[in-house]
Amino acid sequence: MLRILVDRLLTTLPALAGVVVVCFLLTRVLPGDTAAYFAGPAATPQAIEQIRKELGLDRPVPEQFGRYVTELARGDLGQSLTTGQPVLADLKSRLPASAELTLFGLVLALVVALPLGILAAVKQGSLADHLCRIVATAGVSLPVFFTGLLLVYLFYFVLGWSPAPLGRLDSFASAPPTLTGFYLLDSLAAGEVETFRSALAQIALPGLTLAIFALAPIARITRASMLAVLGADFVRTARAAGLSGRKVVITYAFRNAVLPVVTTLGMVFSFLLGANVLVEKVFAWPGVGSYAVEALIASDYAPVQGFVLAMAILYIVLNLLIDLAYGLIDPRVGSAAA
Amino acid sequence: MTTPALLDIRDLTVEFATRRGTVQAVRSVDLAVAKGQTVGIVGESGSGKSVTSYAVMRILDRAGRIADGSVHFSGIDLRAARERQMRDLRGREISMIFQNPRAALNPIRTVGRQIEDVLREHAQAGSGDARRKAIEALEQVRIARAAERYDAYPFELSGGMCQRIVIALALACRPQLLIADEPTTGLDVTTQKAVMDLVRDLTRERGMATILITHDLGLAAAYCDAVTVMEKGRVVETASAEAIFQRPAHPYTRTLMRATPRPGIGLRDLLPEGSAAPMPPSPDPREILLTVRGLSKVYPAKGGGRLFGRRRDPAGEFRAVDDLSFSVLRGESVGLVGESGCGKSTTSSMVMRLLDASAGSIVFKKVELADVPARDFARHPLRPKIQMVFQDPTDSLNPRWTAARAIADPILRFRTVSGAAAIRSRCEELARQVGLPLDLLDRFPHQLSGGQKARVGIARAIAPGPDLVILDEPTAALDVSVQAVVLNLLADLKRELGMSYLFVSHDLHVVRLLCDRVIVMKGGRIVEEGTAADVLERPEAAYTRELIAAIPHPPARSAA
């Protein structure tokens, strides 16, 4: 098992190297002049030139790249010009916020989509099946910023049920002691029920926005995969042996149908990372997405590169976990890899 | 009948809702099974034999429903029973075993757990003794080292072993009725015999009744008390096993009996009487077409190879084909017979140059082919001269190509004919040769029957005018009546076109009918070689005798 893990990690190295190169080059080709932006609109050409020199932007691109890689090797992601903080520190403080939001949305989507998909497959052509189709179509057709704004309008502006969509906690609550960086978990661990409630109220709408987006592919794949497995010979055997409907559907059919669902989950997670950028903007969520967008607008290279690299690593780790999950779910995968 | 029947089916009609309206798959079927009796339901595909059994179990697809008639089991009206009651009956009172045992088991659950599931569902075991009882169930189907096998997954077991597990699962709760739906299709003859003997012994021991659903008359004759013959959803004849083979009353039963390959007959005897001209004697072959010398295929050692219960040398390599030598004369057909894993398919793939040999020579038309790498052989001038007909007529056709396009494929590839009109007329000529009606040429595979698809596959193989055609179980997926026609077609074509056949099969009867010489293989080596009549009637090797003995024979008939 450890060998497979190490082998798998080694194969990700070229991908990571590619991400570093492409990301570096892309930020250099982007229009916009960092030096001019930071010098301000009233700066003289000499002042801009001065800043450019300080930032090392007057050097040839290969040299800049060399310096970037050397610093990267030391674990230094550079300095953000907008916040004035090291990029690593910024990411560290903001990543948990994004991760919490994304995972919350994903779990919410799973809780709804899996039963819906299973029900739609078991009772094909029933009300549940049609509901599944409608939810799926609506979920993919509505862009996240639109659903986000719609939810804010409905639940905050019209109904007044949810708090102002500003950040992770309302202004009176203070952040719980950091344990995981996830406010929901940390507040529970510290026993601060009030903080937990506040954090939950804040995360509900953005989480729901992401969940609606993630719901569609998961429900569709669950339904399709379940339909295929329910038609399999071994399900007929299980039925002929008189096993209860629950046992047949969950233990026999669903466990076999779960592999494609897990694969989709990996893809959905990466979509969510992208959708996060917009959702964080709409809900003023202090995550890495909004951080990266602000940096990009300011032509602030270091945070953008740091963000892309962090996302790439996150995605690779996630895929690794999915591969390992395969081995746990399906004994055939493990023996083929050995 | 004096004793009340255990299972009593009366006037059963099953309908399926399809896009083109309802279709009656089973029409007014009557069937009775007494306690301890074994009843065979025999029929070809589409006869409704499986659907009848699914209706009894009430596990029909969503689209299917019992439209009319009654099903009573021990006095319980199964048609009116609630689903909850049915679930209690299934597995505990009526059990089923299926075709394709590996697919019939949950691939990601250990076999022991699957048996436990059934035991617990029917309250035959609690959490304390479930494991012990599951292992007992495995021991009863004579699985060696049952405690070890408990933790095995289906993919780690052979097909015959999987079928034993399915039987253990079906018999775990000691049901009164066992429905066996083609339980041995796809298994080797020796495995088939072992599995059927096991079913017979276990059901006899427990006084169970059995319904054996099969397309194989011989199998039904060997193991059943009474036989019901079905055709197109109807029962055409029901009689005791002996009576039905001695005096088949219905014409369909007679056709079916005639079409079943058996000892002591010729190819033409398979067809309905008086429908074909007698077979002219085959020409005396002289010239050597193919010579294979010292052919071997060795696979290096790999993890997981322990599953092959086959001889391996100390280095752990696997010799799929081991120092094989034989030759094929022009105009001759040679049968390559053996059970799965004997290396017959590997041999044919090497002769076809789809696979590189590890050692040995293949001389075809006086040219050494073993030196030509498999990937370059596609452009070799002798490539059109070796063709192949595949086992599954459906899967070996591109579903998006019409019959004409499929037949034209080798012509286009080897450019033997050019010009759209010329190619079309060549396709039509080939279709006439294989007896495919010309108006079917523009149909897609799903619009053709199994026999028609087999004809397309044969037309495609003979299109470039080959000297050697490798037939890889070409009739294994066909019904016996279709098989009879296709085998005769193959024999006629061979003589007309002067081709040679290398016929790969596990069915000794079929091989004897079509082949001049037979090579029996086991473990990658030749066990016995000789003329078809010699090998089948006076087998010398013990293994050949074992193979022949395992084939179920219909009782000899006085009149056809």
Side-chain angles (χ1 to χ4, degrees), chain B residues 253-381:
Chain B
T253 316
R254 280 204 290 269
T255 315
L256 213 55
M257 303 260 317
R258 267 190 84 84
T260 304
R262 55 201 180 273
I265 58 153
L267 258 184
R268 287 293 192 247
D269 296 330
L270 295 177
L271 298 173
E273 263 167 301
S275 64
M279 185 82 72
S282 38
D284 199 17
R286 281 283 167 264
E287 185 195 346
I288 288 181
L289 182 69
L290 173 79
T291 313
V292 171
R293 286 279 161 266
L295 193 66
S296 295
K297 181 71 191 174
V298 182
Y299 290 100
K302 249 187 198 159
R306 69 196 158 78
L307 299 171
F308 292 94
R310 282 265 300 277
R311 166 179 46 88
R312 330 171 115 260
D313 67 15
E317 52 180 34
F318 174 69
R319 305 187 76 85
V321 172
D322 198 1
D323 194 20
L324 204 69
S325 302
F326 66 90
S327 58
V328 178
L329 304 179
R330 186 179 286 278
E332 185 189 37
S333 41
V334 174
L336 215 51
V337 190
E339 297 191 292
S340 48
C342 74
K344 58 186 194 294
S345 293
T346 311
T347 307
S348 67
S349 294
M350 283 191 287
V351 173
M352 190 70 216
R353 304 302 301 118
L354 295 171
L355 205 61
D356 280 322
S358 305
S361 88
I362 301 166
V363 177
F364 177 65
K365 297 187 88 172
K366 304 191 175 71
V367 180
E368 175 60 72
L369 291 185
D371 303 339
V372 185
R375 61 190 160 86
D376 295 337
F377 187 62
R379 287 179 295 279
H380 196 276

Side-chain angles (χ1 to χ4, degrees), chain B residues 457-472:
Chain B
I458 293 168
R460 178 176 59 181
I462 63 171
D467 289 313
L468 177 68
V469 178
I470 297 173
L471 306 165
D472 186 5

Side-chain angles (χ1 to χ4, degrees), chain B residues 172-492:
Chain B
C173 300
R174 304 193 157 259
Q176 298 186 56
L177 175 66
L178 176 72
I179 303 177
D181 185 6
E182 302 266 13
T184 58
T185 308
L187 300 180
D188 285 324
V189 274
T190 48
T191 317
Q192 159 167 302
K193 186 168 161 47
V195 165
M196 284 312 300
D197 287 352
L198 176 71
V199 169
R200 186 190 53 200
D201 295 350
L202 286 177
T203 51
R204 237 179 233 171
E205 258 169 48
R206 300 170 183 205
M208 288 168 55
T210 311
I211 296 179
L212 174 65
I213 297 171
T214 180
H215 65 277
D216 187 341
L217 272 170
L219 195 69
Y223 291 95
C224 297
D225 306 317
V227 175
T228 293
V229 181
M230 285 183 75
E231 185 199 12
K232 292 178 188 145
R234 287 183 195 281
V235 171
V236 296
E237 188 167 358
T238 299
S240 76
E242 202 183 325
I244 213 158
F245 291 103
Q246 301 297 345
R247 301 173 295 279
H250 195 275
Y252 178 72
T253 316
R254 280 204 290 269
T255 315
L256 213 55
M257 303 260 317
R258 267 190 84 84
T260 304
R262 55 201 180 273
I265 58 153
L267 258 184
R268 287 293 192 247
D269 296 330
L270 295 177
L271 298 173
E273 263 167 301
S275 64
M279 185 82 72
S282 38
D284 199 17
R286 281 283 167 264
E287 185 195 346
I288 288 181
L289 182 69
L290 173 79
T291 313
V292 171
R293 286 279 161 266
L295 193 66
S296 295
K297 181 71 191 174
V298 182
Y299 290 100
K302 249 187 198 159
R306 69 196 158 78
L307 299 171
F308 292 94
R310 282 265 300 277
R311 166 179 46 88
R312 330 171 115 260
D313 67 15
E317 52 180 34
F318 174 69
R319 305 187 76 85
V321 172
D322 198 1
D323 194 20
L324 204 69
S325 302
F326 66 90
S327 58
V328 178
L329 304 179
R330 186 179 286 278
E332 185 189 37
S333 41
V334 174
L336 215 51
V337 190
E339 297 191 292
S340 48
C342 74
K344 58 186 194 294
S345 293
T346 311
T347 307
S348 67
S349 294
M350 283 191 287
V351 173
M352 190 70 216
R353 304 302 301 118
L354 295 171
L355 205 61
D356 280 322
S358 305
S361 88
I362 301 166
V363 177
F364 177 65
K365 297 187 88 172
K366 304 191 175 71
V367 180
E368 175 60 72
L369 291 185
D371 303 339
V372 185
R375 61 190 160 86
D376 295 337
F377 187 62
R379 287 179 295 279
H380 196 276
L382 281 177
R383 176 65 184 76
K385 296 295 167 191
I386 308 183
Q387 292 293 315
M388 195 157 181
V389 178
F390 301 92
Q391 177 166 4
D392 191 317
T394 308
D395 282 355
S396 57
L397 291 177
N398 185 335
R400 294 181 181 279
W401 280 0
T402 61
R405 178 66 184 84
I407 295 171
D409 194 42
I411 304 175
L412 292 167
R413 213 157 281 255
F414 301 127
R415 298 193 186 84
T416 46
V417 179
S418 54
I423 290 173
R424 178 74 195 186
S425 73
R426 173 79 179 126
C427 283
E428 289 179 0
E429 183 192 340
L430 287 162
R432 265 192 293 271
Q433 279 179 328
V434 299
L436 185 73
L438 293 186
D439 55 319
L440 298 185
L441 273 177
D442 293 311
R443 291 211 190 161
F444 289 94
H446 70 270
Q447 297 165 317
L448 299 172
S449 72
Q452 289 162 349
K453 279 182 279 202
R455 287 175 200 269
V456 173
I458 293 168
R460 178 176 59 181
I462 63 171
D467 289 313
L468 177 68
V469 178
I470 297 173
L471 306 165
D472 186 5
E473 310 240 14
T475 59
L478 301 175
D479 281 325
V480 278
S481 58
V482 182
Q483 165 174 292
V485 176
V486 170
L487 288 176
N488 275 286
L489 169 69
L490 284 169
D492 291 340

Side-chain angles (χ1 to χ4, degrees), chain A residues 121-124 227 230 232-245 247 251-253 255-256 329-332 335 338, chain B residues 54 57-60 62 87 90-91 94-96 98-100 103-109 113-114 117-118 121-122 153 155 166 169:
Chain A
V122 173
K123 298 199 186 303
Q124 207 188 340
L227 273 181
L230 282 173
D233 284 359
F234 66 85
V235 168
R236 189 186 54 191
T237 312
R239 286 174 65 204
L243 297 189
S244 66
K247 187 104 189 165
T251 313
Y252 278 69
R255 281 204 200 159
N256 274 285
I329 297 166
D330 191 338
R332 289 166 296 187
S335 72
Chain B
Y54 294 167
M57 296 287 275
R58 290 239 318 251
I59 52 169
L60 287 167
R62 199 185 308 277
R87 222 169 56 212
R90 282 184 212 129
I94 313 175
S95 276
M96 229 175 143
F98 300 94
Q99 189 176 351
N100 195 359
L105 290 169
N106 187 344
I108 60 168
R109 202 165 173 79
R113 291 289 297 280
Q114 297 190 43
D117 286 339
V118 180
E121 185 72 41
H122 297 294
Y153 289 97
F155 73 94
V166 176
L169 209 126

Side-chain angles (χ1 to χ4, degrees), chain A residues 11 31 34 71 93 98 108 126 142 173-174 190 192 197 203 218 223 226 241 246 257 263 312-313 330:
Chain A
T11 57
T34 318
E71 282 171 3
S93 68
S98 288
L108 207 61
S126 70
L142 298 174
S174 57
E192 297 171 12
R197 196 174 297 161
I203 206 172
I218 301 176
R223 178 180 178 276
M226 276 299 283
R246 196 190 150 78
T263 313
I313 292 172
D330 191 338

